[in-house]
Amino acid sequence: MKIKFQYILIISLAATMQLSAQKKDENIGTEVVNVVKAYTPTISDAFKVKETPGLEDEDNTKREPIQYSIFSFPVASTFSPSKGKAANVDKTEQERLFKNYATLGVGSYANVLGELYVTENIGDTDFIAGNIKHLSSFSDIKESELPSKFLNSSIGLTYGSKKEKYAWTGDLGYQIQKYFWYGLPDDFGTTLSTENRASVIDRIDQGQTYNNFNLGGRISFKESIFNGLNVKYNRFWDAYGSAENRFVVSPTLGFEMFRKDIKTTITLDHVGGSFKKDYSDTFKIKYGYTNIGIHPSFGMRKDDWSFDIGAAVVLGMDNENSKNKVFFYPKANASLKVVGDLMIFFLGIDGELQQNSYREFTNENPFLSPTLFIAPTDKQFDVFAGLKGKLANSVSYTVRGSVIKEKNKALFVANDYDDSVLVQEMYQYGNSFGLKYDTLRTFRLFGELKADFSKNVAVGVNGIFNTYSQENLPEAYNLPQFQFGANVDANITAKWYAGANLFFVGDRKDFQSNSNVDATKTVKSYFDANAHVGYKYNQRFTAFLRLNNIGNQAYEKWLNYPVQSFQVLLGANYKFDF
């Protein structure tokens, strides 16, 4: 049996007191108490004190609301804060724009480049402008036995006015071009003696001179069904008595109805001219064609798609032969944003009665004989489809495929010659080109990539692949199957800039007969690269250096016509205001 410690203590104290009280009366003796087992306390014997004692006073739970107030009164102060100052921001100096400039350059082959452009405001609405351009070479190509100099100069004058409801401009200009027929065939003079061949070479010392006078004007109206009118007249003639007149009038009507664009263009295009003789000196050539066309169109634009649909009806008149014919051309195009601006699909169809002219032919090939048969080209259709968009914010692309059919397509072909005849016209020694017409079908694939990596660097690449099918001629003469081009322009620093461009043109076919011996000629492909660098001394003055045909190849752009090899041109440009 367990004996609690506190009970033993109480009993012992009580016994001691009783013994003390009885001690006087008697002696009760002593006793011995034996504790069998020692006391072992347990946890249940202790009472814990609560950490948070309970409060029984209810008044302690009541909280009195406390209110705060601020006692404010004005205090006089003499402190005056300093005015804030905006932080300085680095600004790029804006380049000043000048109204006028002059350019002058000289280089190898005694090349001279000159340009002058001036403009001046007259009052608040009118202006007058003029320009002079010149490019010439006074040195011959070493690969040629004949003079190969050239000259191309022009002068122009423009007057314009911009009113509140309409604007108009008028143009007046003159251009002169001079070229030599220096492209003799490789086998020229093989049947002649050395003396006779040298005599022929010596007498081919005259070239061809082209002159063009132009007069035109444009007027446009705001808030009017009559949108505007274009008028242009060209008088073109050469040193061999050939002459041509061309007159074009094109008014435009248009308005918007129910958010749809309705537009109509009317065109009157007349060309007429004459050559003193044909290539064989048999008869005089005269030509005259008038095309009158009307082209209505209807267009709509929504968020992701747009389209324009219309047609053109053209009355073509052959004035010399009193023949008239009506041509019909569908004209439509549509586009759809497949993935926003990243990918846009487009397709369409187009066609036209293309008015050909002596002046346009010579601008493309200046080595023509003044004995041409001029006729319009019936471009029956051009069906196309493709994709365009952006690969990134700074990179755009275009891919386009086309199927084209052209009836009476004009092709440049080398003229036949007979080198056994000593005295002929300057262009009858196999050194000029004529025209041959055929129906041509073309499949064309075009691709282009442009990238503006920054405001200082821009790059472009493009390529064209063609396949041709003609009805009568054995080849699509002087038309390349493949063309490639690339360019880059960069602002190196605020003062220096540079750029380069290169292009490749594939093989072309030509045909030429010498003394009734026919031969198909191959004009070899060529690659050309050009570069330029410039230094801006200040806002007005800039010096530049141009390098052309860096590969130093005397390639032939036309059969038997080598171009100038490596060229260097050093020049300067000056901008100014009156």
Side-chain angles (χ1 to χ4, degrees):
M1 179 179 180
K2 297 179 179 180
I3 302 175
K4 296 183 179 181
F5 177 78
Q6 58 266 36
Y7 293 157
I8 295 175
L9 181 62
I10 294 173
I11 294 174
S12 301
L13 293 174
T16 303
M17 293 176 62
Q18 186 178 2
L19 291 173
S20 299
Q22 295 177 355
K23 190 174 182 179
K24 296 179 179 181
D25 297 331
E26 58 180 340
N27 185 5
I28 61 175
T30 60
E31 293 183 4
V32 177
V33 179
N34 295 323
V35 180
V36 179
K37 184 178 180 182
Y39 173 71
T40 303
T42 63
I43 295 176
S44 60
D45 298 330
F47 297 94
K48 295 181 178 179
V49 178
K50 294 182 179 181
E51 296 180 359
T52 305
L55 298 177
E56 296 180 357
D57 191 353
E58 294 182 357
D59 293 339
N60 291 334
T61 62
K62 295 181 180 180
R63 297 181 180 180
E64 293 293 334
I66 300 175
Q67 295 182 354
Y68 298 92
S69 62
I70 298 175
F71 178 69
S72 62
F73 58 90
V75 177
S77 176
T78 59
F79 172 73
S80 177
S82 60
K83 295 182 179 180
K85 184 178 181 181
N88 293 328
V89 179
D90 295 334
K91 296 181 180 180
T92 303
E93 184 179 0
Q94 187 175 3
E95 185 175 358
R96 179 180 173 183
L97 299 178
F98 295 89
K99 296 181 180 180
N100 318 299
Y101 75 87
T103 300
L104 178 64
V106 294
S108 55
Y109 292 94
N111 292 343
V112 178
L113 169 69
E115 292 184 2
L116 175 65
Y117 181 87
V118 295
T119 181
E120 187 65 26
N121 294 330
I122 302 175
D124 296 331
T125 60
D126 295 5
F127 73 93
I128 187 170
N131 65 84
I132 299 175
K133 298 180 180 180
H134 174 84
L135 178 62
S136 63
S137 177
F138 297 98
S139 181
D140 297 325
I141 299 172
K142 64 180 180 179
E143 292 82 7
S144 175
E145 298 180 87
L146 299 177
S148 55
K149 308 175 183 68
F150 69 86
L151 178 145
N152 188 347
S153 298
S154 65
I155 183 171
L157 182 66
T158 301
Y159 190 94
S161 178
K162 187 175 182 181
K163 305 295 184 181
E164 183 178 354
K165 295 185 178 180
Y166 68 91
W168 66 270
T169 58
D171 302 318
L172 177 68
Y174 171 75
Q175 182 184 29
I176 181 171
Q177 300 168 283
K178 187 174 181 62
Y179 298 93
F180 287 87
W181 288 295
Y182 65 90
L184 289 177
D186 295 335
D187 58 352
F188 175 81
T190 55
T191 62
L192 300 176
S193 64
T194 304
E195 294 78 8
N196 288 338
R197 187 181 187 280
S199 176
V200 172
I201 296 297
D202 290 339
R203 69 179 305 271
I204 309 177
D205 59 353
Q206 296 182 12
Q208 173 68 288
T209 302
Y210 301 116
N211 302 272
N212 184 74
F213 169 79
N214 68 277
L215 177 66
R218 295 168 297 279
I219 185 170
S220 60
F221 296 91
K222 295 181 179 180
E223 301 178 358
S224 174
I225 295 178
F226 183 57
N227 294 161
L229 173 69
N230 291 343
V231 179
K232 190 170 185 179
Y233 169 74
N234 275 288
R235 169 71 176 180
F236 185 73
W237 70 98
D238 66 14
Y240 284 78
S242 310
E244 178 183 79
N245 295 296
R246 187 172 184 182
F247 182 69
V248 180
V249 181
S250 180
T252 302
L253 307 176
F255 58 92
E256 184 178 345
M257 178 182 294
F258 305 112
R259 297 183 179 179
K260 301 175 180 63
D261 296 328
I262 300 175
K263 184 178 179 180
T264 300
T265 302
I266 302 171
T267 303
L268 170 64
D269 189 346
H270 171 79
V271 63
S274 64
F275 298 97
K276 282 191 172 182
K277 57 183 178 180
D278 67 336
Y279 190 75
S280 59
D281 197 7
T282 303
F283 53 85
K284 183 178 180 179
I285 299 176
K286 293 187 66 177
Y287 60 94
Y289 299 94
T290 303
N291 299 337
I292 302 176
I294 181 171
H295 171 208
S297 64
F298 166 81
M300 286 187 62
R301 286 162 180 78
K302 293 295 184 180
D303 295 335
D304 294 331
W305 59 269
S306 66
F307 74 86
D308 287 281
I309 186 170
V313 180
V314 182
L315 173 63
M317 296 180 286
D318 184 349
N319 303 322
E320 292 297 323
N321 299 307
S322 301
K323 293 182 179 179
N324 303 329
K325 186 176 180 179
V326 177
F327 300 86
F328 175 81
Y329 301 101
K331 291 179 176 288
N333 63 79
S335 65
L336 173 65
K337 293 183 178 179
V338 180
V339 188
D341 292 333
L342 301 179
M343 181 181 293
I344 302 174
F345 173 74
F346 63 90
L347 77 164
I349 184 172
D350 197 5
E352 63 175 331
L353 184 61
Q354 180 179 328
Q355 188 77 284
N356 295 319
S357 68
Y358 184 30
R359 178 175 185 265
E360 290 183 351
F361 285 140
T362 57
N363 285 339
E364 187 174 356
N365 183 350
F367 309 110
L368 299 177
S369 63
T371 59
L372 305 178
F373 291 93
I374 306 294
T377 296
D378 177 15
K379 188 176 182 180
Q380 296 182 335
F381 60 80
D382 178 359
V383 181
F384 59 89
L387 294 172
K388 62 181 180 180
K390 293 183 177 181
L391 299 177
N393 289 333
S394 59
V395 182
S396 61
Y397 68 92
T398 301
V399 179
R400 170 175 168 154
S402 306
V403 179
I404 307 169
K405 183 179 180 181
E406 297 169 285
K407 190 175 180 180
N408 215 37
K409 171 69 174 180
L411 302 175
F412 297 112
V413 182
N415 283 323
D416 301 335
Y417 69 102
D418 186 353
D419 59 3
S420 63
V421 181
L422 299 181
V423 180
Q424 302 181 82
E425 294 288 353
M426 301 294 176
Y427 52 82
Q428 289 184 319
Y429 295 94
N431 55 346
S432 65
F433 295 83
L435 297 173
K436 289 188 177 181
Y437 294 87
D438 198 359
T439 297
L440 185 69
R441 294 179 178 84
T442 305
F443 171 75
R444 178 171 298 159
L445 184 62
F446 169 80
E448 183 180 43
L449 191 67
K450 293 182 178 180
D452 294 325
F453 295 110
S454 68
K455 65 179 181 180
N456 295 322
V457 180
V459 178
V461 179
N462 64 81
I464 302 175
F465 175 77
N466 297 308
T467 59
Y468 305 103
S469 175
Q470 53 281 342
E471 286 189 359
N472 301 313
L473 298 175
E475 299 285 349
Y477 294 123
N478 283 296
L479 295 180
Q481 284 192 330
F482 182 72
Q483 294 174 272
F484 171 82
N487 67 277
V488 57
D489 291 287
N491 293 321
I492 303 173
T493 66
K495 296 288 187 179
W496 290 92
Y497 67 90
N501 65 80
L502 55 90
F503 53 90
F504 173 83
V505 178
D507 292 345
R508 291 140 290 148
K509 297 294 183 179
D510 207 330
F511 180 86
Q512 193 170 51
S513 175
N514 178 15
S515 301
N516 297 322
V517 177
D518 299 340
T520 298
K521 306 288 186 177
T522 298
V523 185
K524 294 182 180 180
S525 61
Y526 62 88
F527 175 86
D528 199 351
N530 307 314
H532 67 270
V533 62
Y535 176 73
K536 298 179 181 179
Y537 179 75
N538 53 36
Q539 291 185 341
R540 294 178 179 271
F541 184 80
T542 301
F544 60 85
L545 175 67
R546 297 179 185 176
L547 307 176
N548 295 332
N549 198 356
I550 298 175
N552 196 30
Q553 301 181 26
Y555 60 82
E556 296 179 355
K557 186 174 181 180
W558 303 101
L559 180 65
N560 303 320
Y561 276 90
V563 301
Q564 293 179 348
S565 300
F566 178 64
Q567 306 153 49
V568 179
L569 182 72
L570 180 64
N573 176 277
Y574 182 74
K575 303 174 185 177
F576 60 96
D577 286 332
F578 290 119

